[in-house]
Amino acid sequence: MRLDDAVVLDLHGVTDKTAFMNRCVRALPLPVWFGRNWDALADCLADLRAPMAIVVTGWHAYAEAAPDDWDTAQEVFSAASRASRNGLAVLLALSGWEDRTNAPAPGSDDPPGASGAPGVGE
């Protein structure tokens, strides 16, 4: 596992658990059955088939907006790292490491109704 090969989990703009889970789905190699809850995230990360380094960027706004959820996310990362058989490292970028080539696509963590899809009766 090399830091150059790290997966970037970019949390810029994330302020709630739903958006956090949606970003995890987009950035991490989670199975299609992933349930978008804390227990499922811990299990899926611990069961990754290959060593992985995850660098979490842009997490400050989430930590401020939802401190209890951010605490839980950190506990999940820690527990999954300890339980991983193949090697999992989760690193929190304090600042400066931005992966601008892999910016999150709009959509799955936008608020309901913001997807551009027509609503009922439209």
Side-chain angles (χ1 to χ4, degrees), residues 41-90:
L41 182 61
D43 291 345
C44 291
L45 290 176
D47 290 342
L48 291 172
R49 295 181 184 203
M52 179 176 290
I54 300 170
V55 177
V56 183
T57 64
W59 54 270
H60 297 92
Y62 182 45
E64 188 174 310
D68 291 340
D69 283 345
W70 178 241
D71 286 346
T72 302
Q74 291 178 87
E75 291 171 14
V76 165
F77 290 145
S78 180
S81 295
R82 286 190 311 272
S84 173
R85 292 183 192 144
N86 295 312
L88 173 66
V90 180

